[in-house]
Every structure is written in C-alpha cells, then in structure tokens.
Tab-separated table of all heavy atoms in Angstrom:
chain	number	residue	atom	x	y	z
A	1	MET	N	-10.556	23.476	-18.116
A	1	MET	CA	-11.810	22.863	-17.681
A	1	MET	C	-11.936	21.514	-18.365
A	1	MET	O	-12.076	21.452	-19.595
A	1	MET	CB	-12.999	23.762	-18.053
A	1	MET	CG	-12.948	25.134	-17.402
A	1	MET	SD	-14.333	26.197	-17.939
A	1	MET	CE	-13.900	26.441	-19.657
A	2	PRO	N	-11.867	20.415	-17.630
A	2	PRO	CA	-11.963	19.098	-18.264
A	2	PRO	C	-13.346	18.869	-18.856
A	2	PRO	O	-14.355	19.286	-18.276
A	2	PRO	CB	-11.668	18.131	-17.117
A	2	PRO	CG	-12.036	18.887	-15.882
A	2	PRO	CD	-11.728	20.315	-16.165
A	3	SER	N	-13.389	18.215	-19.998
A	3	SER	CA	-14.677	17.861	-20.598
A	3	SER	C	-15.334	16.769	-19.761
A	3	SER	O	-14.745	16.246	-18.815
A	3	SER	CB	-14.488	17.410	-22.044
A	3	SER	OG	-13.638	16.283	-22.105
A	4	ALA	N	-16.557	16.411	-20.118
A	4	ALA	CA	-17.347	15.488	-19.303
A	4	ALA	C	-16.619	14.171	-19.029
A	4	ALA	O	-16.625	13.666	-17.905
A	4	ALA	CB	-18.686	15.221	-19.986
A	5	ALA	N	-15.966	13.616	-20.040
A	5	ALA	CA	-15.277	12.333	-19.866
A	5	ALA	C	-14.172	12.429	-18.825
A	5	ALA	O	-14.000	11.532	-17.992
A	5	ALA	CB	-14.703	11.870	-21.204
A	6	TYR	N	-13.443	13.528	-18.821
A	6	TYR	CA	-12.330	13.675	-17.883
A	6	TYR	C	-12.802	14.144	-16.522
A	6	TYR	O	-12.150	13.895	-15.516
A	6	TYR	CB	-11.298	14.636	-18.469
A	6	TYR	CG	-10.713	14.110	-19.756
A	6	TYR	CD1	-11.167	14.587	-20.987
A	6	TYR	CD2	-9.757	13.106	-19.748
A	6	TYR	CE1	-10.652	14.080	-22.176
A	6	TYR	CE2	-9.243	12.600	-20.934
A	6	TYR	CZ	-9.696	13.095	-22.136
A	6	TYR	OH	-9.196	12.588	-23.313
A	7	GLN	N	-13.959	14.824	-16.464
A	7	GLN	CA	-14.526	15.188	-15.177
A	7	GLN	C	-14.898	13.938	-14.394
A	7	GLN	O	-14.668	13.842	-13.201
A	7	GLN	CB	-15.782	16.046	-15.388
A	7	GLN	CG	-15.496	17.444	-15.886
A	7	GLN	CD	-16.760	18.195	-16.231
A	7	GLN	OE1	-17.868	17.725	-15.980
A	7	GLN	NE2	-16.605	19.364	-16.825
A	8	THR	N	-15.464	12.946	-15.085
A	8	THR	CA	-15.838	11.693	-14.426
A	8	THR	C	-14.616	10.976	-13.899
A	8	THR	O	-14.567	10.503	-12.764
A	8	THR	CB	-16.585	10.779	-15.417
A	8	THR	OG1	-17.743	11.463	-15.884
A	8	THR	CG2	-16.995	9.477	-14.745
A	9	PHE	N	-13.576	10.950	-14.723
A	9	PHE	CA	-12.365	10.240	-14.331
A	9	PHE	C	-11.670	10.917	-13.166
A	9	PHE	O	-11.090	10.264	-12.307
A	9	PHE	CB	-11.420	10.151	-15.530
A	9	PHE	CG	-10.139	9.427	-15.218
A	9	PHE	CD1	-10.097	8.050	-15.170
A	9	PHE	CD2	-8.974	10.139	-14.954
A	9	PHE	CE1	-8.920	7.378	-14.880
A	9	PHE	CE2	-7.798	9.475	-14.672
A	9	PHE	CZ	-7.764	8.089	-14.632
A	10	SER	N	-11.738	12.247	-13.130
A	10	SER	CA	-10.986	12.979	-12.113
A	10	SER	C	-11.807	13.273	-10.866
A	10	SER	O	-11.335	13.955	-9.964
A	10	SER	CB	-10.486	14.309	-12.700
A	10	SER	OG	-11.579	15.098	-13.122
A	11	SER	N	-13.029	12.774	-10.776
A	11	SER	CA	-13.844	13.039	-9.594
A	11	SER	C	-13.232	12.354	-8.374
A	11	SER	O	-12.597	11.303	-8.481
A	11	SER	CB	-15.274	12.534	-9.819
A	11	SER	OG	-15.283	11.123	-9.901
A	12	PRO	N	-13.427	12.904	-7.159
A	12	PRO	CA	-12.856	12.296	-5.954
A	12	PRO	C	-13.305	10.853	-5.745
A	12	PRO	O	-12.503	9.995	-5.353
A	12	PRO	CB	-13.368	13.222	-4.838
A	12	PRO	CG	-13.617	14.534	-5.517
A	12	PRO	CD	-14.086	14.183	-6.894
A	13	PHE	N	-14.586	10.570	-6.002
A	13	PHE	CA	-15.073	9.202	-5.806
A	13	PHE	C	-14.374	8.231	-6.738
A	13	PHE	O	-13.990	7.131	-6.343
A	13	PHE	CB	-16.598	9.159	-6.044
A	13	PHE	CG	-17.164	7.766	-5.977
A	13	PHE	CD1	-17.376	7.136	-4.761
A	13	PHE	CD2	-17.455	7.078	-7.148
A	13	PHE	CE1	-17.884	5.849	-4.706
A	13	PHE	CE2	-17.962	5.786	-7.100
A	13	PHE	CZ	-18.178	5.166	-5.869
A	14	CYS	N	-14.205	8.662	-7.999
A	14	CYS	CA	-13.555	7.788	-8.971
A	14	CYS	C	-12.104	7.535	-8.576
A	14	CYS	O	-11.622	6.406	-8.656
A	14	CYS	CB	-13.645	8.416	-10.359
A	14	CYS	SG	-12.955	7.389	-11.674
A	15	LEU	N	-11.412	8.565	-8.129
A	15	LEU	CA	-10.019	8.399	-7.722
A	15	LEU	C	-9.918	7.477	-6.511
A	15	LEU	O	-9.010	6.639	-6.426
A	15	LEU	CB	-9.408	9.768	-7.410
A	15	LEU	CG	-9.225	10.699	-8.615
A	15	LEU	CD1	-8.681	12.048	-8.154
A	15	LEU	CD2	-8.274	10.080	-9.648
A	16	LEU	N	-10.850	7.622	-5.566
A	16	LEU	CA	-10.850	6.757	-4.387
A	16	LEU	C	-11.095	5.310	-4.771
A	16	LEU	O	-10.455	4.389	-4.243
A	16	LEU	CB	-11.922	7.232	-3.400
A	16	LEU	CG	-12.027	6.454	-2.084
A	16	LEU	CD1	-10.717	6.558	-1.311
A	16	LEU	CD2	-13.189	6.985	-1.244
A	17	LEU	N	-12.005	5.122	-5.733
A	17	LEU	CA	-12.298	3.773	-6.194
A	17	LEU	C	-11.084	3.144	-6.865
A	17	LEU	O	-10.776	1.958	-6.654
A	17	LEU	CB	-13.481	3.808	-7.164
A	17	LEU	CG	-13.964	2.458	-7.703
A	17	LEU	CD1	-14.449	1.576	-6.548
A	17	LEU	CD2	-15.074	2.658	-8.723
A	18	ILE	N	-10.346	3.932	-7.643
A	18	ILE	CA	-9.144	3.428	-8.311
A	18	ILE	C	-8.083	3.041	-7.292
A	18	ILE	O	-7.434	1.994	-7.394
A	18	ILE	CB	-8.606	4.488	-9.291
A	18	ILE	CG1	-9.586	4.667	-10.461
A	18	ILE	CG2	-7.226	4.094	-9.819
A	18	ILE	CD1	-9.201	5.800	-11.399
A	19	VAL	N	-7.914	3.894	-6.264
A	19	VAL	CA	-6.929	3.601	-5.217
A	19	VAL	C	-7.311	2.306	-4.492
A	19	VAL	O	-6.454	1.449	-4.238
A	19	VAL	CB	-6.830	4.776	-4.231
A	19	VAL	CG1	-5.989	4.385	-3.012
A	19	VAL	CG2	-6.236	5.995	-4.915
A	20	ALA	N	-8.589	2.166	-4.148
A	20	ALA	CA	-9.040	0.972	-3.429
A	20	ALA	C	-8.851	-0.282	-4.275
A	20	ALA	O	-8.396	-1.329	-3.771
A	20	ALA	CB	-10.511	1.132	-3.043
A	21	LEU	N	-9.160	-0.194	-5.564
A	21	LEU	CA	-9.014	-1.344	-6.443
A	21	LEU	C	-7.543	-1.711	-6.604
A	21	LEU	O	-7.179	-2.898	-6.589
A	21	LEU	CB	-9.640	-1.038	-7.807
A	21	LEU	CG	-9.569	-2.157	-8.848
A	21	LEU	CD1	-10.286	-3.401	-8.336
A	21	LEU	CD2	-10.169	-1.701	-10.177
A	22	THR	N	-6.687	-0.706	-6.730
A	22	THR	CA	-5.251	-0.967	-6.852
A	22	THR	C	-4.713	-1.652	-5.602
A	22	THR	O	-3.935	-2.619	-5.677
A	22	THR	CB	-4.495	0.359	-7.096
A	22	THR	OG1	-5.010	0.980	-8.271
A	22	THR	CG2	-3.012	0.108	-7.268
A	23	PHE	N	-5.121	-1.160	-4.429
A	23	PHE	CA	-4.684	-1.761	-3.162
A	23	PHE	C	-5.148	-3.208	-3.070
A	23	PHE	O	-4.401	-4.101	-2.642
A	23	PHE	CB	-5.240	-0.937	-1.995
A	23	PHE	CG	-4.864	-1.479	-0.649
A	23	PHE	CD1	-3.592	-1.246	-0.112
A	23	PHE	CD2	-5.765	-2.224	0.097
A	23	PHE	CE1	-3.239	-1.755	1.119
A	23	PHE	CE2	-5.420	-2.730	1.329
A	23	PHE	CZ	-4.157	-2.496	1.847
A	24	TYR	N	-6.385	-3.450	-3.510
A	24	TYR	CA	-6.949	-4.802	-3.453
A	24	TYR	C	-6.161	-5.746	-4.354
A	24	TYR	O	-5.832	-6.881	-3.967
A	24	TYR	CB	-8.415	-4.753	-3.881
A	24	TYR	CG	-9.082	-6.115	-3.964
A	24	TYR	CD1	-9.550	-6.754	-2.824
A	24	TYR	CD2	-9.229	-6.751	-5.200
A	24	TYR	CE1	-10.146	-8.003	-2.906
A	24	TYR	CE2	-9.836	-7.989	-5.284
A	24	TYR	CZ	-10.304	-8.620	-4.140
A	24	TYR	OH	-10.900	-9.853	-4.215
A	25	LEU	N	-5.809	-5.296	-5.533
A	25	LEU	CA	-5.071	-6.144	-6.471
A	25	LEU	C	-3.640	-6.413	-5.984
A	25	LEU	O	-3.090	-7.501	-6.173
A	25	LEU	CB	-5.042	-5.486	-7.850
A	25	LEU	CG	-6.403	-5.401	-8.580
A	25	LEU	CD1	-6.252	-4.614	-9.868
A	25	LEU	CD2	-6.935	-6.802	-8.857
A	26	LEU	N	-3.016	-5.374	-5.373
A	26	LEU	CA	-1.648	-5.564	-4.899
A	26	LEU	C	-1.591	-6.490	-3.684
A	26	LEU	O	-0.670	-7.288	-3.545
A	26	LEU	CB	-1.064	-4.194	-4.526
A	26	LEU	CG	-0.742	-3.253	-5.694
A	26	LEU	CD1	-0.254	-1.903	-5.174
A	26	LEU	CD2	0.332	-3.877	-6.606
C-alpha cells in the first residue's frame, strides 16, 4: 500500500499529466 506521497505520484491523473508533459517536451 503506497503511502500518501506515492499515492499522489501513482494516481492516473498524475501519470497522464507526466505523459502529456513528456510528449510536449519531446
């Protein structure tokens, strides 16, 4: 069970945001 800090990082919205930002930078 991830603690609060890792729950935020692993949330679907956060992952989608990271993917979108990576695509934008590339």
Side-chain angles (χ1 to χ4, degrees):
M1 299 177 292
S3 60
Y6 298 101
Q7 288 173 7
T8 301
F9 180 79
S10 60
S11 67
F13 175 77
C14 183
L15 292 177
L16 182 61
L17 183 62
I18 292 174
V19 170
L21 180 60
T22 302
F23 179 79
Y24 176 80
L25 292 175
L26 289 176

